[in-house]
Amino acid sequence: MADRNRRIVLAAVPVGMPREEDFRMEEVAVPVCAANGLLVRTKWVSVDPYLRGRISGVRSYVAPIAVGAVMESGAVGEVVASQDPAFQRGDIVSGFWGWQEFDAVEAAKVQRVDPREAPVSTALGILGMPGMTAYFGLTEVCAPKAGETVVVSGAAGAVGSAVGQIAKILGCRAVGMAGTVAKVNHVKSLGFDDALNYRTDKPYKDVLARMCPKGIDCYFDNVGGEFTDAVLGLMNVRGRVAICGQISQYNDRSLDVGPRPFTPMLVKQLRVEGFLVSRWAGRFGEGREQMAGWLKQGRLRYEETVYEGLESAPRAFIGLFLGENTGKALVSV
Ligand SMILES: NC(=O)c1ccc[n+]([C@@H]2O[C@H](COP(=O)([O-])OP(=O)(O)OC[C@H]3O[C@@H](n4cnc5c(N)ncnc54)[C@H](OP(=O)(O)O)[C@@H]3O)[C@@H](O)[C@H]2O)c1
């Protein structure tokens, strides 16, 4: 086994759009496996939009990653040493650890991944946190009924692509929004009834009104901004809005001031609810079983955009804000 460990640390708190210079590669000794712990060799690193908040220098729902500290996110790896009898060398596990080739992790904080069930990278995507976000956010917060219309922003991404497909499984009309023609065609190929390109298909309200002739019952928002303003104007009475993400604003240096949403909320009696997927952490087993079942039946499909090598992790992360990924953005280490 190698005795050196390459890792990526936060070099500076990004201002606005993150740059590759905000990260730095270091080489250190391989960490030591603690009592009751595991030493894992990282196979996959997940890059996710929420990491923008974690490198902003301020606390949101978790503490920020400090300058000089190792970047960390969801990861999948192989156990190379185990001090816990429940795990053997060669086991595949997922959890949260550093953007590094090796990490020492607590056995209690990882989940076993069964490579026979699905490719292990899916533990970071459709069968992992983004998949659970789509499943619980849609079914619990939007709670769509068959025949209703569901609109999802960020539709070609890890969460959004799953939301539209689940909406179809539940018997709804699914309409997506994405940033390129290729992505629009991709989500239609996944079974979405319609989709618009937010860069060209304007005014949003007119385009959406044509795509949603019966109005909008559920809105699953990953993006925020002007698109949300248009959707709110088309919501049906007693519609439900799940605020999952606001990626269009994560790099903003000042607060976005748009139309205030309270009038459409009032007159259409909307329920608008923000959520964090951790709310359903105790039910992830149930969510995974349902999503894995749909995958096996071919009713659910997923896409991955893979960046090669640990050194590409900063680029992969920045790519999220440039729309480089279709489906789950991952780094193969
Ligand atoms: N609440 C929770 O617990 C939870 C959990 C997971 C994720 N989330 C949120 O869910 C959203 C999607 O996450 P994900 O992991 O599935 O990421 P993702 O959608 O796979 O990747 C990000 C995508 O966002 C789009 N985007 C980037 N900047 C944009 C902008 N200014 N305006 C419009 N679209 C933009 C890009 O697609 P285009 O090419 O279409 O622009 C990009 O590919 C994020 O907002 C994330 O923070 C929330």
Side-chain angles (χ1 to χ4, degrees):
M1 196 183 80
D3 60 351
R4 304 299 290 171
N5 183 29
R6 291 189 315 144
R7 65 185 195 181
I8 294 173
V9 301
L10 182 65
V13 170
V15 179
M17 176 68 112
R19 303 159 311 152
E20 292 197 48
E21 306 85 271
D22 296 327
F23 305 89
R24 184 177 68 241
M25 178 75 88
E26 286 182 350
E27 202 171 297
V28 293
V30 171
V32 176
C33 180
N36 301 321
L38 309 173
L39 183 65
V40 290
R41 185 202 309 265
T42 307
K43 291 172 89 68
W44 293 95
V45 163
S46 175
V47 289
D48 298 273
Y50 75 86
L51 288 169
R52 182 65 187 84
R54 291 214 62 202
I55 58 173
S56 63
V58 294
R59 188 185 172 87
S60 57
Y61 49 91
V62 273
I65 296 171
V67 170
V70 183
M71 288 294 300
E72 58 180 21
S73 63
V76 164
E78 178 181 355
V79 175
V80 290
S82 171
Q83 300 287 351
D84 184 309
F87 290 92
Q88 317 297 322
R89 272 182 70 127
D91 285 350
I92 304 294
V93 293
S94 70
F96 279 84
W97 64 76
W99 287 10
Q100 50 188 340
E101 290 168 321
F102 296 92
D103 207 348
V105 297
E106 284 179 52
K109 291 195 173 162
V110 301
Q111 295 80 45
R112 197 181 289 280
V113 177
D114 184 352
R116 292 164 305 184
E117 188 178 55
V120 299
S121 58
T122 58
L124 301 173
I126 193 84
L127 298 180
M129 185 277 284
M132 297 306 102
T133 303
Y135 177 73
F136 288 107
L138 183 67
T139 59
E140 295 286 327
V141 181
C142 288
K145 297 187 253 321
E148 290 190 330
T149 297
V150 175
V151 170
V152 53
S153 56
V159 174
S161 57
V163 168
Q165 293 184 81
I166 299 168
K168 288 306 298 172
I169 291 171
L170 299 177
C172 299
R173 177 172 179 80
V175 173
M177 168 279 241
T180 63
V181 172
K183 288 187 180 188
V184 163
N185 290 335
H186 172 66
V187 302
K188 287 184 186 168
S189 79
L190 293 176
F192 283 57
D193 295 283
D194 218 334
L196 69 83
N197 177 345
Y198 71 86
R199 292 204 164 85
T200 54
D201 293 338
K202 295 179 182 180
Y204 299 143
K205 201 170 170 187
D206 296 351
V207 180
L208 271 172
R210 282 196 296 277
M211 291 180 173
C212 307
K214 295 184 185 166
I216 299 168
D217 302 290
C218 300
Y219 175 41
F220 191 107
D221 185 22
N222 288 312
V223 168
E226 283 177 24
F227 186 75
T228 295
D229 300 335
V231 173
L232 290 180
L234 295 168
M235 294 293 297
N236 290 331
V237 172
R238 303 300 287 263
R240 286 83 66 201
V241 178
I243 308 291
C244 174
Q246 298 286 289
I247 194 167
S248 70
Q249 288 159 42
Y250 292 174
N251 293 317
D252 284 358
R253 297 190 204 185
S254 59
L255 216 57
D256 184 39
V257 180
R260 290 171 172 82
F262 301 108
T263 301
M265 286 170 66
L266 167 67
V267 297
K268 295 294 177 62
Q269 302 186 62
L270 304 181
R271 182 161 58 71
V272 180
E273 186 176 344
F275 73 90
L276 297 177
V277 66
S278 50
R279 189 193 300 185
W280 298 282
R283 293 176 57 194
F284 281 0
E286 168 198 331
R288 231 177 264 128
E289 198 175 322
Q290 178 63 85
M291 297 287 275
W294 285 332
L295 267 183
K296 282 203 184 96
Q297 294 161 9
R299 301 177 77 190
L300 196 57
R301 285 182 289 146
Y302 67 93
E303 187 79 14
E304 293 174 339
T305 297
V306 175
Y307 294 76
E308 293 296 332
L310 181 66
E311 60 283 0
S312 66
R315 175 69 229 170
F317 170 63
I318 294 164
L320 293 170
F321 303 99
L322 301 172
E324 283 182 2
N325 64 303
T326 298
K328 182 71 193 102
L330 291 167
V331 179
S332 169
V333 179

